[in-house]
Amino acid sequence: MDFHENEGLRLLVKALLSLEDEKECIDFLEDVMTRKEMMDISQRMLVAKMLSEQVVYNKIVEETGASTATISRVNRSYNYGSGGYEKILKRVKEDRR
């Protein structure tokens, strides 16, 4: 089965798109993920942000506790993936202005 044809994935995407505010999003994430899963994903987002700012691996390890394997995986996705990290980080940065 093609990943994009997965009914559960489509439902998850629709659910995420329907969230109206930060509290609603946190409530949903707490229900659908374990605390460890949330921490792992939030760590990856922080790693992607730091990579976008050209922070070196050693500093990322020191500040996030992420393994070099995780940093490398995020770096590969950030540079050669579908552009999701870059789009989201740009939007988040614009929202902070």
Side-chain angles (χ1 to χ4, degrees), residues 55-95:
V55 177
V56 296
Y57 274 39
N58 291 344
K59 185 76 169 170
I60 296 172
V61 169
E62 180 182 313
E63 290 192 20
T64 68
S67 69
T68 56
T70 295
I71 297 167
S72 180
R73 192 175 315 115
V74 172
N75 189 47
R76 190 170 38 256
S77 294
Y78 184 83
N79 287 303
Y80 305 108
S82 60
Y85 276 124
E86 190 172 4
K87 277 182 208 162
I88 292 304
L89 290 171
K90 182 178 179 189
R91 288 181 190 164
V92 169
K93 186 176 182 179
E94 289 172 356
D95 284 348

Side-chain angles (χ1 to χ4, degrees), residues 13-66:
V13 168
K14 287 180 181 182
L16 291 170
L17 290 170
S18 75
L19 297 170
E20 295 182 7
D21 58 35
E22 191 172 318
K23 176 161 181 1
E24 201 172 271
C25 185
I26 289 169
D27 289 345
F28 176 70
L29 292 176
E30 285 180 343
D31 285 349
V32 77
M33 287 191 241
T34 66
R35 191 162 300 280
K36 172 139 177 39
E37 289 167 333
M38 286 194 303
M39 293 299 99
D40 288 347
I41 291 171
S42 63
Q43 182 185 63
R44 290 180 199 144
M45 288 299 302
L46 186 55
V47 167
K49 178 182 177 287
M50 294 176 81
L51 288 168
S52 75
E53 296 166 348
Q54 306 297 309
V55 177
V56 296
Y57 274 39
N58 291 344
K59 185 76 169 170
I60 296 172
V61 169
E62 180 182 313
E63 290 192 20
T64 68

